[in-house]
Amino acid sequence: MGLIKMTKYRTLVLATVGFNFSFLIWFSFAPFTGGMAEEFGLSTAEIGILASSAIWMAPFGRMVTGWLSDKYGAPTIFAIVLAYVGVFSMASAFAQNYSLFFVTRLIVATAGITFVIGIQHVAEWFEEENLGLAEGIYAGIGNAGAAGGALILPRVFGSGWSGPLFATNWRAAFFYTGIVSIVLAIAYYTLGEAAKSEEKRQATKDNASFKDWVYTATRYGTVVLAAAYIMSFGLELSMNGWLATYYREAFNQSNLVIASTFAATFSVAAGLLRPIGGYMSDVLARKEKNILPFFTGRYREQWTFVSLCFIVVTMFCMTLAGLSGVVLNAVIVGFLVGTACAFSEGAIFAQVPAMFPNSSGAVAGVVGGVGTVGGIVYPLVYSAPFLSSLHIGYSIVAASMIPIVLLAAWVFQPDIAAVANSDGFISGSGEPSASASDD
């Protein structure tokens, strides 16, 4: 028992470190958009496309790797992804034309698919009553890798940086982070264990057929949580790739380190506060405590709904803060947006493994994959040339989230929520072992 407990926490640490660095390398381009724009002659709109492109490979990639993690085990899949990401990050440091650079960074951007691998890995080791907190710690500290990149990379590879291989700061950053990624791949494969028991491993593997994947992907619970993840994690991705540019362009802030630090306040909130979202979901479920006069008895759902509404409100406030012309207002509200994202993401991934305990990788892949769509679309809205101000895009995005909140309100009704893991938008029989446990 003691060995299992030690391995359980080692798994959490290993997955968290791996995902934290994956997030860092995923958004390692963000602090250096000014230098890349100057070298390759990019406009603000083209920078927005570069920020969006960091997410293009994630939706399909996450769906596939979630299923592969169920089938082959998280350590193997996580190590493969970290290894090739490292190789292409190093290659991008040597790219001399923008087309080649763009392609290599697209491949590096698949580092984001490691999220669902770690979600599956943690779920294979932790009990249901503590899943929200464990997944929140994993994803929260992991997501903070974006803040680490914004805070660390400009300081280590700042404008005055010079070295034996590169005189350009962003090229050096991409090369050396690639080396670290390969080292982590080796460590993950060597130290990781797929599940807490052979029985648990086999149960998960047995549910990794394509038929089972289609079934779980179309349940009401999967669909609504995936949509909710668009407006939470998708939003986080978009802000991670955009905010440094926003603070620089909208407030005439030319200092790279300062603009990146402003942006990092969002990433810190969105990452480090995520465990609170999962922990609150666990607490409400354990204590069977209602916090809303509706969705009675659906405790996790109530907390998720409150968190989603918090996102919409803070995004409208982001526009107001920007229009005030005071950068500090925008930084403070940006922190609150990050907090709302953190609470929602923690709540969502407290529900995923609780609903589908033997298909957590597949469902996490769908939710995490679909959720990244927000990261693709939202940066294009922020930087749209037809907007009169860079501040307006936040309100447009907020308005687009309202239908998702209404969908959640429908699915979270007690009579629908009770069968959200078995009833879906496509009829069919699912495997009994994938049915949910009650909240």
Side-chain angles (χ1 to χ4, degrees):
M1 184 63 68
L3 180 61
I4 292 177
K5 185 175 182 180
M6 181 178 69
T7 308
K8 176 171 70 173
Y9 290 110
R10 185 182 72 195
T11 297
L12 180 58
V13 171
L14 190 62
T16 301
V17 171
F19 182 50
N20 180 276
F21 186 79
S22 296
F23 231 90
L24 183 150
I25 202 170
W26 190 5
F27 289 100
S28 57
F29 74 92
F32 303 108
T33 53
M36 289 184 289
E38 183 178 349
E39 183 165 342
F40 291 117
L42 306 179
S43 66
T44 301
E46 287 171 324
I47 294 174
I49 293 174
L50 181 62
S52 170
S53 71
I55 326 296
W56 292 355
M57 304 295 284
F60 177 74
R62 286 188 167 194
M63 292 182 191
V64 171
T65 50
W67 172 74
L68 288 175
S69 297
D70 282 344
K71 190 170 183 65
Y72 297 106
T76 299
I77 305 304
F78 214 130
I80 290 173
V81 175
L82 285 172
Y84 78 70
V85 163
V87 169
F88 279 94
S89 181
M90 294 169 68
S92 71
F94 294 96
Q96 296 301 313
N97 67 78
Y98 185 65
S99 296
L100 180 59
F101 172 78
F102 190 86
V103 170
T104 56
R105 293 312 295 180
L106 271 182
I107 298 173
V108 172
T110 61
I113 68 180
T114 57
F115 168 72
V116 299
I117 307 174
I119 285 287
Q120 191 270 356
H121 201 188
V122 172
E124 291 292 272
W125 280 91
F126 281 81
E127 299 74 22
E128 192 273 336
E129 61 267 21
N130 295 312
L131 266 178
L133 179 59
E135 299 286 21
I137 291 172
Y138 157 75
I141 297 176
N143 285 1
L151 291 171
I152 295 171
L153 295 182
R155 288 167 170 81
V156 175
F157 303 101
S159 57
W161 191 94
S162 61
L165 292 177
F166 307 102
T168 306
N169 53 349
W170 58 266
R171 292 185 184 276
F174 295 165
F175 180 81
Y176 290 111
T177 52
I179 291 177
V180 175
S181 185
I182 294 172
V183 172
L184 283 177
I186 297 171
Y188 210 113
Y189 186 78
T190 303
L191 299 174
E193 294 186 32
K196 62 184 176 182
S197 67
E198 185 57 37
E199 293 77 13
K200 175 62 175 172
R201 176 74 199 104
Q202 193 61 44
T204 299
K205 187 177 181 179
D206 289 344
N207 282 290
S209 71
F210 179 73
K211 178 182 177 181
D212 294 330
W213 182 90
V214 172
Y215 175 82
T216 56
T218 54
R219 300 310 91 194
Y220 292 140
T222 307
V223 172
V224 72
L225 293 178
Y229 215 54
I230 291 175
M231 61 176 285
S232 53
F233 184 66
L235 176 63
E236 179 184 346
L237 292 180
S238 71
M239 299 288 258
N240 282 334
W242 170 252
L243 278 179
T245 301
Y246 169 68
Y247 289 127
R248 187 178 69 246
E249 298 293 332
F251 296 96
N252 298 315
Q253 177 54 254
S254 59
N255 187 296
L256 170 66
V257 172
I258 292 178
S260 297
T261 302
F262 286 163
T265 60
F266 166 87
S267 300
V268 167
L272 296 183
L273 298 181
R274 183 165 174 161
I276 297 176
Y279 177 71
M280 286 296 298
S281 184
D282 285 348
V283 169
L284 294 177
R286 284 200 301 266
K287 295 185 175 181
E288 299 183 350
K289 183 175 180 60
N290 291 302
I291 59 172
L292 292 175
F294 36 92
F295 313 141
T296 303
R298 306 306 304 184
Y299 313 109
R300 293 190 190 275
E301 286 86 346
Q302 290 179 33
W303 172 241
T304 302
F305 185 79
V306 168
S307 301
L308 295 178
C309 292
F310 187 22
I311 291 177
V312 175
V313 171
T314 54
M315 281 296 283
F316 278 120
C317 291
M318 192 72 185
T319 290
L320 296 177
L323 292 174
S324 73
V326 180
V327 67
L328 183 60
N329 290 343
V331 172
I332 292 172
V333 176
F335 181 88
L336 293 177
V337 174
T339 301
C341 289
F343 288 174
S344 297
E345 292 159 10
I348 290 166
F349 270 93
Q351 288 188 248
V352 166
M355 272 189 183
F356 302 93
N358 292 326
S359 301
S360 59
V363 180
V366 175
V367 174
V370 173
T372 59
V373 170
I376 299 172
V377 176
Y378 296 156
L380 302 180
V381 176
Y382 303 147
S383 60
F386 60 82
L387 295 180
S388 60
S389 166
L390 289 179
H391 311 300
I392 302 299
Y394 301 117
S395 286
I396 296 176
V397 168
S400 74
M401 295 173 173
I402 294 176
I404 297 176
V405 175
L406 295 177
L407 173 65
W410 179 72
V411 175
F412 290 171
Q413 297 174 83
D415 57 335
I416 298 176
V419 294
N421 64 323
S422 58
D423 289 0
F425 292 98
I426 296 178
S427 61
S429 59
E431 77 289 356
S433 57
S435 62
S437 55
D438 293 336
D439 285 348

